[in-house]
Amino acid sequence: MNKLILGFLLLTLGGVGTANAHPVSFQGATSLMSYNKEKENELLLTYSFDRSWAAGLSYFKMEDIEYTIPRINFLAKRWNNDDSQGNIYLSAGYGTERSFDENKGVTFGSVEADWESRKYYTSIQYNKFFRQDSDAVDRTDYEHTKGRLGVAPYLAEFNELNTWLIVQFDKVNDKPIETTQFIRLFYKNAMIELGAAFGGGWAFNYMVHF
């Protein structure tokens, strides 16, 4: 892991860009986002009708479970300050769960809040998949809380390579909290994140607007 951390630091040759991959983007934007780590993959495609609403389709796979969910995303509140911005987003959807060659319905709900400046940002997100027949012993609802803290080592303009150093905390159901360190590289309309968990394991995320 030490070599990976050193590699991250050597890559830090840019500045600062937008810190978050938001579920609602600018009007007319199509966004593709993907979040990946060992035994877990998520893909989200959205189209923003205006500055407050976006429709999307998400695919989530974790071990033997797959969720495919059409969803709607809503910018519930935004604060614009002189040198920072805060947002609250709500998302909901209904789709299908496939597990052990069986298909069932699943309802999705999410709330996300973030605050960012050109130098710092923080975010917290809570997702829940309400699984059909969740009262069964082997069908517990899936809950995921994710918190992030980020800092930009130096500032850059939008048309330059931007860099963030990020620490992420994940809590899934009754499992212990997992901590992952990321380096984010952001250039114009594209972003990648390379990460390593403190307990071992890799993470790779990307986003593009078009």
Side-chain angles (χ1 to χ4, degrees), residues 35-38 40 42 60 62 123-127 142-149 166-182 193 195-205:
Y35 307 92
N36 307 278
K37 59 183 180 180
E38 293 184 65
E40 189 174 304
E42 181 178 2
F60 179 75
M62 179 184 63
S123 70
I124 186 165
Q125 181 178 15
Y126 174 76
N127 297 329
Y142 178 80
E143 298 181 70
H144 182 189
T145 301
K146 177 169 65 176
R148 289 187 139 205
L149 299 172
I166 296 169
V167 177
Q168 176 174 303
F169 306 94
D170 293 275
K171 174 67 174 174
V172 175
N173 288 27
D174 57 355
K175 295 180 180 179
I177 294 175
E178 181 182 64
T179 303
T180 307
Q181 56 193 339
F182 285 95
E193 292 181 343
F198 279 88
W202 57 269
F204 173 70
N205 308 324

Side-chain angles (χ1 to χ4, degrees), residues 98-169:
R98 182 170 179 80
S99 58
F100 303 105
D101 296 325
E102 184 179 20
N103 292 320
K104 292 199 174 187
V106 61
T107 301
F108 169 78
S110 174
V111 58
E112 178 180 350
D114 65 65
W115 173 89
E116 62 184 283
S117 67
R118 294 189 66 206
K119 185 70 175 178
Y120 304 104
Y121 100 93
T122 183
S123 70
I124 186 165
Q125 181 178 15
Y126 174 76
N127 297 329
K128 186 167 183 176
F129 295 87
F130 299 86
R131 306 173 69 191
Q132 184 179 328
D133 302 330
S134 60
D135 54 342
V137 175
D138 60 345
R139 291 190 59 78
T140 304
D141 290 336
Y142 178 80
E143 298 181 70
H144 182 189
T145 301
K146 177 169 65 176
R148 289 187 139 205
L149 299 172
V151 61
Y154 39 85
L155 303 183
E157 301 301 325
F158 174 74
N159 60 351
E160 299 175 329
L161 178 64
N162 293 261
T163 303
W164 288 86
L165 303 178
I166 296 169
V167 177
Q168 176 174 303
F169 306 94

Side-chain angles (χ1 to χ4, degrees), residues 6-7 10 30 40 46 53 65 73-74 82 93 103 117 120-121 129 152 158 171 175 188 196 203 205 208:
L6 178 60
L10 291 175
T30 300
E40 189 174 304
T46 67
W53 292 93
I65 300 175
N73 306 320
F74 174 57
D82 291 339
N103 292 320
S117 67
Y120 304 104
Y121 100 93
F129 295 87
F158 174 74
K171 174 67 174 174
K175 295 180 180 179
K188 294 186 178 179
N205 308 324
V208 62

